[in-house]
Amino acid sequence: MTATTTANGVAARAVDVWKVYGSGEAQVIALRGVNIELERGRFTAIMGPSGSGKSTLMHCLAGLDSVTRGTVEIGGTVLTGLSDKALTTLRRDKVGFVFQQFNLLPTLNAKENILLPLSIAGVKPDPTWFERVIESIGLSDRLGHRPSQLSGGQQQRVACARALASRPEVVFADEPTGNLDSRSGAEVLGFLRTSVREFGQTIVMVTHDPNAAAYADRVVFLADGQIVDELREPTAGSVLDKLKSLDTPEVCADVLGEGTASGGVA
Amino acid sequence: MFRATIRSLLNRKLRLILSTLAVVLGVMFVSGAFVLTDTIGRSFDALFTTAYSTVDVQIIRTPRSEAGVQDASVAEPVPASLIDDLEPVTGIRKITGTIILDGARVISPNTGKIISGGMGVPNFGGNWTGEDDLVKLRQGRGPSEDTEVVINASLAKAGTFSVGSQIEILLPATGTDDPTGETTQSRRRTFTVCGIFGYAGGRDSVTGETYVAFTTPAAQRLMLGTTDAFSEIDILVADGSSPTAVRDAIRDRIGPDYRVNTGKDAAKEQSDFLKDQLKFFNYILLGFATIALFVGIFIILNTFSIIVAQRMRELALMRAIGASRRQVLVAVLLEAGILGLIASGIGLLCGIGVGAGLAAAAVTFIEGMELAGLGVPLTAVIASFGVGIPVTLIAALIPAVKASRIAPIAALQESTIPDKPLTRLTIGGIVVTLAGNVALALGLTDHAGGHELLAAFAGILTTFVGIALLTPIIARPAVSALGRLLAWSTPGELGRRNTARNPRRTAITAAALMVGVALVTAISTLFSSATVSTRTMLDETLHADLLVYGIQTGQNPPTFHPNLLVTTRQQADVEAVAGYWYDVARSDDGQTMVSATDDLAAFIAISGSKTTQGRGTRLAPGEIVIDSRMAKEHHLTLGSTVRYGLTRADDRDFTVIGIYQRNEIIWGPVLSIEDAQDFRARDPQLAFINLRDGANVEAMKAMIDGMLVDSPDISVVDRSGYLEQQTSMLNMLLGFIQVLLALAMVIAVLGVINTLILSIFERTRELGLLRAVGLSRAQTTRMITVEAVVISLFGALLGIVVGAGLGAAVVQALRDEGYTTIAFPYGLMAIYLALAALVGVIAAVFPAARASRLNVLTAIAHE
Ligand SMILES: Nc1ncnc2c1ncn2[C@@H]1O[C@H](COP(=O)(O)OP(=O)(O)O)[C@@H](O)[C@H]1O
Ligand SMILES: [Mg+2]
């Protein structure tokens, strides 16, 4: 599994990543030697119990946080040791973000929010690309609206469009549907899947909802800072079963052993 | 509730400290003023106690003016025969007839200028009465001839004089015929230094004064213009007698024509007089304090508004779990009160430092003066807290009331306070502005029942408050427009939008800056209008080609010998000469400025006026001419009498013999030169010279300059030089007043920084998001700088508009005082605007650094 490389190549990669917070008594090891490769043009979901390190892994992969040990690579660039300035530029040009909440600037309207990373970079948007993105989020008539005039689901779709606007190497989404009702959530997830299928976008999504995970091509399971398992072409049912099996302590220990033996799952 | 208040204060340390800095500064000026006057006052007390240490009882002529203190330049002679009258009084050990008068100016052999111990420090001339406990000869001996003088060590050092040196002294005009009988153009006489004296304790002078002591007859003649008289009689009492008993005995004996005081009281009187003069400093410092505190109110109001908005859910939760409105109100006010207390305390301490520092600096200007120990008068403490705490409470009142109105349900809602429409605020603003304008108008047009200055001042402050209330409604369009100029990049655009986001907040911050800029713009407008008006007026009315005068720096105006007028008049190129004397006289109005001239017709002609009634030619003693406005206001006609008390004379009547047209050069009562001998300065202070057509102005100027060699403080200038000088004084004053701007700007910067920090704190998550999607640190800084610059420029523009309006209104109201032209100082306005932009950039530094160093992840997770 370690060498899972498709014809498309790898968009981002983590090699033996450790993340330790604090020191001494208060020390927390959030990631313990994680190895993962994110294939280009695929939709990967990261699942795991609360506190298992999902967000931490995502932040490290996205260049928002530094790793304690190991290396992270996005689109061929090694992040370790980059200056704040270089990291900022990398995030601007190669990474897109969708957070659980508060994704939009209240002073900008939907269109301006979508184009924000481009205008920060001083780059003119590609009109045909922009059209396609707008069309697929289905908000062509709402572009002039401020975030406060949009519903939560609409805001989240605008945030997705923003993440896609600069055609980044990877889009990271941390529980993007966590604050939405199931219908709005389904719209957002549908859009993310479309962007993978139709635009060839690479997307990594953290979620704890098996239904959400079912939209992905691949689900990676995290427990206690380590990758413990993964599923390809998941369905809500298969994800749920896997979670249940992971919840039973002995299986967990079993899986852990396996994970360690194979040097992590990729 | 109390504990919650303290906790919340501690949580917001930095922001609160910033917001109260204005209060700290204001209180600092208040306590500084009190400490300064107290320390200097006690230093004066000590000084005069020394000066009067060898006088138990002092007799002087009762001063004519109500001010009461003996005026060292116009003291009336006390006849020597009075000493005999004191024979029967018991308890007297020693009687000394003393002459000590201001006005013996020594010309420095090195610079040719008059040696002075500083502005307003006297140049004493007197009689040598020998050594005593205070006065000690250091070299040489006392004068034995009328051509010999002893001088104090201070003067000897300043003029590098030693025993045997020749010394040139400009003597005061005594009103008697020239004692030497020479025909001369100067009051300069040459003496020989025969001794140098100092004071007990190694002092060179008591207060930096220069002192020349003649023989008694010479001093009587040269300084008093009489024989057998003194300016005061000093008495030492016998051992075992009390000065008060001797004083009372003398009072009984010689009656009310004389003032008899113990040395102690006389010292106190002199000291109190100087302390009174010192009040000027107090007013300046208290003026600074008022501005600082006024601007501070805006900043504190803003801080508390923002804090209350940010804590809305917390406060709502308190309400939901049972806190009453009152409790919330009290909690916020309590917070303000504690803050005011701390700020006042810090301000008091800083003020003590400032006061002590200023006192120490002031004392170094006065030679020989020793600084009294540092003291903190109770009044300083009371005033500091009495001002600081209420100001903070007042500023926090509106936010506190708002906080108390937060509904408990707000705890459950996600949203922030919705923007209420600005209608009520705007109407309020219009009403307050109009009220301020009315008060200002009443003050300016003398309709405030004797409280004109207060009404005008209150009117200005009220107008500021009104405009501040109106600011939010202008803020959005104005900031939008301003921002467009700066928003050429995405960060700029983001900054611009942030500014337009909360018009109230932007408005109050800008208003704080407005106050300072408005004040200075108004004053600059006033000054530039005055300058232009004066120039225009002088240009139109003044027909003099040359003017002779000096610039007054002390109590006595510079003068020149009247013979200069005579000699000048004899020159072939000269058409007319008018000598000019002036003084302040006691009158029914309290005080009136009076003048005198030796050629009335020439004076009226040269000043571009004309006689409208009666005579405009030579005045005899007791005759005056007055201006038409005075005639109208005081219902005077030809033949009416007016009563004046001239400085050196009792009140007497003057008869109106002519009425002339008033202008800025000639106005008020004009007297004869005989009467001018009762003025403080008996010699002329100004000469207007009109040359014949085709005369060589430069040659005449050089000639007169030659006659002025003995009057170092007087010079001759041509017309354009005079116009230049008349307006340069205003420019100096303007420079001083711009210190006010600096102060108000500093406080406004604090306000801008404060608002930015609070806003940034509020927008932490937004900043995190921006950084996450790729806004670089430099871009973050640019965004915040644009925000700061837009706010500052908005405030400055507002200030310039309001200030120009205010200045124009004052100029308009002063039309009758000669402000004929309104001239806006466009250059200065541009400078103020540029300064404001700079202020914005500076104010952004710290908040921007904070914002760009935010950790992206914690910022996004920020609640
Ligand atoms: N800034 C931090 N400081 C200390 N510990 C942290 C920090 N962020 C996360 N952690 C800890 O790291 C672990 C993983 O956290 P996180 O990645 O947020 O988990 P998840 O997203 O899977 O719920 C948790 O035990 C959490 O408490
Ligand atoms: Mg998480």
Side-chain angles (χ1 to χ4, degrees):
Chain A
M1 277 174 134
T2 316
T4 319
T5 325
T6 62
N8 288 335
V10 177
R13 165 190 290 139
V15 181
D16 189 27
V17 163
W18 289 71
K19 180 68 187 178
V20 183
Y21 289 112
S23 59
E25 289 274 297
Q27 196 180 54
V28 178
I29 304 177
L31 298 176
R32 309 167 179 264
V34 173
N35 288 297
I36 189 168
E37 285 187 344
L38 301 167
E39 300 132 273
R40 190 162 282 145
R42 304 285 298 264
F43 188 172
T44 309
I46 301 175
M47 291 200 80
S50 178
S52 57
K54 304 182 295 288
S55 297
T56 306
L57 176 59
M58 209 196 81
H59 294 152
C60 290
L61 281 169
L64 282 172
D65 207 349
S66 60
V67 299
T68 311
R69 219 175 79 194
T71 52
V72 173
E73 208 183 296
I74 293 178
T77 313
V78 177
L79 267 52
T80 327
L82 286 188
S83 68
D84 178 80
K85 198 171 170 183
L87 274 176
T88 305
T89 316
L90 178 117
R91 285 201 303 266
R92 194 183 72 194
D93 299 340
K94 296 199 171 167
V95 181
F97 289 100
V98 182
F99 299 104
Q100 183 173 0
Q101 55 178 339
F102 204 79
N103 271 299
L104 306 177
L105 283 195
T107 50
L108 305 182
N109 65 28
K111 183 177 176 187
E112 288 164 336
N113 262 298
I114 294 171
L115 294 177
L116 182 62
L118 291 174
S119 54
I120 287 174
V123 174
K124 278 238 172 338
D126 168 357
T128 40
W129 174 245
F130 181 68
E131 280 304 316
R132 277 179 80 183
V133 172
I134 295 303
E135 213 174 294
S136 55
I137 59 165
L139 287 173
S140 316
D141 52 338
R142 295 297 178 93
L143 290 181
H145 287 48
R146 292 279 171 98
S148 56
Q149 298 163 315
L150 298 174
S151 73
Q154 290 169 333
Q155 288 185 27
Q156 220 49 349
R157 277 187 278 155
V158 171
C160 293
R162 190 214 38 230
L164 291 175
S166 59
R167 311 182 92 153
E169 202 73 30
V170 201
V171 170
F172 292 99
D174 193 351
E175 309 209 22
T177 57
N179 269 13
L180 301 180
D181 59 69
S182 56
R183 213 182 120 218
S184 308
E187 280 170 6
V188 169
L189 291 164
F191 171 69
L192 289 177
R193 188 167 57 189
T194 311
S195 61
V196 174
R197 299 277 147 82
E198 291 183 14
F199 311 149
Q201 187 63 55
T202 312
I203 295 182
V204 182
M205 172 179 75
V206 167
T207 183
H208 55 250
D209 175 5
N211 291 313
Y215 281 80
D217 301 320
R218 171 189 176 204
V219 184
V220 175
F221 293 90
L222 217 60
D224 204 14
Q226 285 177 314
I227 291 175
V228 288
D229 206 345
E230 76 160 271
L231 266 180
R232 298 256 165 185
E233 308 304 331
T235 63
S238 64
V239 171
L240 206 56
D241 289 343
K242 188 62 86 182
L243 282 178
K244 277 190 189 133
S245 70
L246 288 177
D247 254 354
T248 9
E250 68 228 281
V251 180
C252 194
D254 207 24
V255 173
L256 265 173
E258 188 194 321
T260 318
S262 67
V265 187
Chain B
M1 209 72 187
F2 183 73
R3 185 173 293 164
T5 301
I6 299 287
R7 173 106 10 102
S8 107
L9 273 173
L10 289 177
N11 278 339
R12 284 163 247 272
K13 268 182 311 233
L14 177 75
R15 281 165 280 152
L16 291 175
I17 287 172
L18 264 172
S19 70
T20 50
L21 268 181
V23 174
V24 171
L25 279 176
V27 170
M28 180 184 89
F29 286 120
V30 171
S31 69
F34 281 104
V35 171
L36 173 69
T37 23
D38 175 74
T39 311
I40 297 259
R42 280 180 298 111
S43 309
F44 279 147
D45 287 344
L47 184 73
F48 286 104
T49 306
T50 312
Y52 280 86
S53 60
T54 52
V55 179
D56 288 334
V57 178
Q58 185 190 51
I59 305 173
I60 58 167
R61 250 292 163 61
T62 306
R64 288 199 176 83
S65 84
E66 294 302 313
V69 180
Q70 187 190 20
D71 183 335
S73 47
V74 293
E76 292 288 311
V78 179
S81 59
L82 194 73
I83 293 175
D84 302 332
D85 292 348
L86 298 176
E87 194 91 53
V89 179
T90 54
I92 296 180
R93 174 157 64 93
K94 186 180 169 203
I95 302 180
T96 315
T98 307
I99 296 155
I100 172 167
L101 278 163
D102 191 5
R105 294 148 296 160
V106 174
I107 298 172
S108 164
N110 308 318
T111 63
K113 297 218 160 64
I114 288 168
I115 297 173
S116 166
M119 200 148 150
V121 177
N123 305 114
F124 284 129
N127 59 337
W128 177 248
T129 54
E131 290 186 276
D132 57 26
D133 288 346
L134 181 65
V135 175
K136 308 281 178 205
L137 262 180
R138 291 201 188 153
Q139 284 168 49
R141 53 169 175 80
S144 55
E145 318 240 345
D146 287 358
T147 56
E148 291 180 336
V149 290
V150 267
I151 60 175
N152 68 353
S154 192
L155 173 57
K157 279 183 187 159
T160 57
F161 296 113
S162 52
V163 171
S165 299
Q166 300 283 292
I167 183 168
E168 307 281 348
I169 304 175
L170 281 178
L171 295 165
T174 53
T176 53
D177 283 336
D178 198 314
T180 53
E182 299 166 47
T183 50
T184 171
Q185 248 131 43
S186 147
R187 305 257 177 229
R188 170 158 117 172
R189 299 288 178 276
T190 308
F191 297 85
T192 307
V193 176
C194 63
I196 293 169
F197 67 93
Y199 298 86
R203 289 177 181 216
D204 292 342
S205 70
V206 181
T207 62
E209 78 285 355
T210 65
Y211 204 130
V212 265
F214 308 92
T215 60
T216 299
Q220 286 171 331
R221 208 176 64 233
L222 300 171
M223 298 304 297
L224 274 178
T226 57
T227 50
D228 283 334
F230 302 100
S231 63
E232 62 186 56
I233 288 171
D234 299 331
I235 291 163
L236 282 172
V237 299
D239 291 342
S241 304
S242 93
T244 41
V246 172
R247 176 197 67 192
D248 292 344
I250 297 175
R251 272 187 188 166
D252 284 348
R253 180 142 185 90
I254 63 177
D257 286 350
Y258 299 93
R259 172 177 295 189
V260 187
N261 264 332
T262 58
K264 220 182 236 162
D265 288 346
K268 185 170 160 10
E269 206 171 64
Q270 292 278 347
S271 177
D272 287 349
F273 178 73
L274 278 182
K275 282 186 210 166
D276 206 51
Q277 312 263 298
L278 209 71
K279 281 201 178 131
F280 172 68
F281 280 107
N282 249 359
Y283 291 139
I284 293 179
L285 289 174
L286 292 178
F288 282 177
T290 310
I291 291 172
L293 291 170
F294 185 71
V295 175
I297 289 182
F298 286 78
I299 297 176
I300 295 170
L301 173 80
N302 221 10
T303 308
F304 272 87
S305 296
I306 299 173
I307 288 177
V308 164
Q310 287 173 356
R311 280 164 65 192
M312 200 178 67
R313 288 179 79 174
E314 178 191 328
L315 290 168
L317 188 67
M318 278 177 159
R319 294 273 286 121
I321 60 174
S324 70
R325 282 196 166 176
R326 245 184 91 87
Q327 279 174 312
V328 171
L329 181 84
V330 169
V332 175
L333 285 182
L334 193 63
E335 206 168 313
I338 293 172
L339 216 59
L341 183 80
I342 296 170
S344 305
I346 299 172
L348 173 65
L349 291 180
C350 296
I352 293 171
V354 166
L358 284 178
V363 161
T364 57
F365 280 108
I366 306 173
E367 197 202 310
M369 181 147 158
E370 275 164 29
L371 187 63
L374 176 69
V376 182
L378 189 63
T379 45
V381 180
I382 294 171
S384 294
F385 290 104
V387 163
I389 297 176
V391 160
T392 318
L393 284 176
I394 288 168
L397 193 60
I398 294 172
V401 169
K402 271 213 184 112
S404 74
R405 297 229 173 112
I406 292 174
I409 188 70
L412 309 171
Q413 290 168 340
E414 180 63 34
S415 73
T416 48
I417 308 178
D419 260 356
K420 265 188 259 155
L422 299 167
T423 332
R424 261 176 56 193
L425 199 65
T426 306
I427 293 171
I430 294 172
V431 172
V432 174
T433 309
L434 286 179
N437 288 348
V438 168
L440 179 61
L442 288 180
L444 289 177
T445 53
D446 293 352
H447 283 98
H451 300 289
E452 277 72 31
L453 208 61
L454 194 69
F457 193 62
I460 289 172
L461 292 190
T462 314
T463 305
F464 283 156
V465 172
I467 303 268
L469 293 176
L470 288 175
T471 318
I473 198 130
I474 341 173
R476 224 191 275 264
V479 157
S480 235
L482 268 177
R484 254 170 247 290
L485 299 175
L486 296 163
W488 60 81
S489 65
T490 302
E493 176 63 19
L494 291 170
R496 177 184 83 80
R497 296 213 185 179
N498 286 338
T499 325
R501 189 162 172 166
N502 195 328
R504 283 166 215 256
R505 195 179 292 179
T506 301
I508 299 178
T509 314
L513 186 60
M514 167 195 78
V515 173
V517 176
L519 280 176
V520 183
T521 307
I523 294 168
S524 308
T525 304
L526 200 61
F527 280 17
S528 73
S529 301
T531 305
V532 172
S533 303
T534 308
R535 271 180 167 279
T536 316
M537 180 277 300
L538 284 178
D539 219 31
E540 280 168 6
T541 52
L542 183 68
H543 296 300
D545 296 304
L546 291 172
L547 294 104
V548 178
Y549 66 100
I551 292 175
Q552 181 164 359
T553 55
Q555 209 177 18
N556 296 307
T559 57
F560 51 88
H561 197 284
N563 277 351
L564 180 127
L565 298 169
V566 180
T567 317
T568 310
R569 211 165 266 138
Q570 287 161 357
Q571 306 302 311
D573 271 352
V574 172
E575 168 110 34
V577 176
Y580 181 75
W581 287 247
Y582 62 83
D583 198 7
V584 178
R586 303 181 297 280
S587 70
D588 290 343
D589 297 340
Q591 287 194 323
T592 299
M593 163 101 172
V594 293
S595 59
T597 183
D598 58 340
D599 188 342
L600 182 62
F603 184 32
I604 290 177
I606 289 175
S607 50
S609 166
K610 63 173 192 269
T611 309
T612 54
Q613 279 181 62
R615 230 170 68 213
T617 52
R618 189 173 154 66
L619 290 160
E623 292 182 341
I624 56 169
V625 291
I626 58 172
D627 69 62
S628 38
R629 187 161 106 192
M630 183 182 162
K632 205 165 131 207
E633 277 172 7
H634 289 77
H635 310 292
L636 298 172
T637 54
L638 296 181
S640 308
T641 59
V642 197
R643 203 167 177 76
Y644 290 125
L646 304 179
T647 304
R648 295 175 190 271
D650 293 329
D651 295 4
R652 61 175 187 263
D653 285 337
F654 294 85
T655 310
V656 176
I657 62 139
I659 297 172
Y660 63 86
Q661 229 170 37
R662 175 192 166 103
N663 67 28
E664 288 313 300
I665 304 170
I666 182 169
W667 53 273
V670 183
L671 283 63
S672 68
I673 48 167
E674 287 81 2
D675 288 322
Q677 291 309 298
D678 289 331
F679 283 10
R680 161 183 292 276
R682 290 168 163 131
D683 277 346
Q685 293 129 52
L686 214 157
F688 298 98
I689 300 164
N690 196 6
L691 302 181
R692 289 188 202 287
D693 291 345
N696 184 339
V697 180
E698 282 309 309
M700 272 310 297
K701 190 170 169 235
M703 197 221 102
I704 295 170
D705 218 21
M707 288 195 277
L708 289 170
V709 282
D710 292 338
S711 307
D713 47 354
I714 296 278
S715 56
V716 55
V717 296
D718 57 18
R719 226 178 120 78
S720 59
Y722 180 71
L723 294 187
E724 209 48 54
Q725 272 186 15
Q726 288 302 298
T727 47
S728 68
M729 302 268 280
L730 281 177
N731 286 337
M732 254 175 58
L733 207 59
L734 182 63
F736 176 74
I737 284 169
Q738 275 163 345
V739 174
L740 272 184
L741 170 79
L743 175 80
M745 282 243 181
V746 165
I747 296 174
V749 175
L750 294 178
V752 178
I753 295 178
N754 198 42
T755 302
L756 286 178
I757 289 186
L758 288 163
S759 300
I760 284 166
F761 178 77
E762 204 171 67
R763 299 203 289 260
T764 306
R765 282 203 295 183
E766 242 175 276
L767 282 163
L769 176 70
L770 278 167
R771 295 277 289 123
V773 301
L775 195 73
S776 69
R777 284 190 175 154
Q779 285 174 318
T780 310
T781 303
R782 207 174 315 151
M783 175 176 82
I784 288 161
T785 306
V786 166
E787 189 173 348
V789 171
V790 168
I791 295 177
S792 305
L793 281 179
F794 176 46
L797 271 180
L798 212 60
I800 286 173
V801 171
V802 172
L806 213 60
V810 175
V811 171
Q812 192 65 31
L814 295 179
R815 185 156 281 272
D816 284 351
E817 308 295 328
Y819 286 73
T820 47
T821 323
I822 295 177
F824 292 113
Y826 296 108
L828 283 176
M829 288 176 175
I831 291 174
Y832 299 154
L833 212 56
L835 276 177
L838 187 69
V839 157
V841 173
I842 294 170
V845 171
F846 179 61
R850 249 173 103 93
S852 62
R853 306 255 155 237
L854 271 179
N855 179 297
V856 180
L857 283 175
T858 39
I860 291 173
H862 187 87
E863 266 298 327

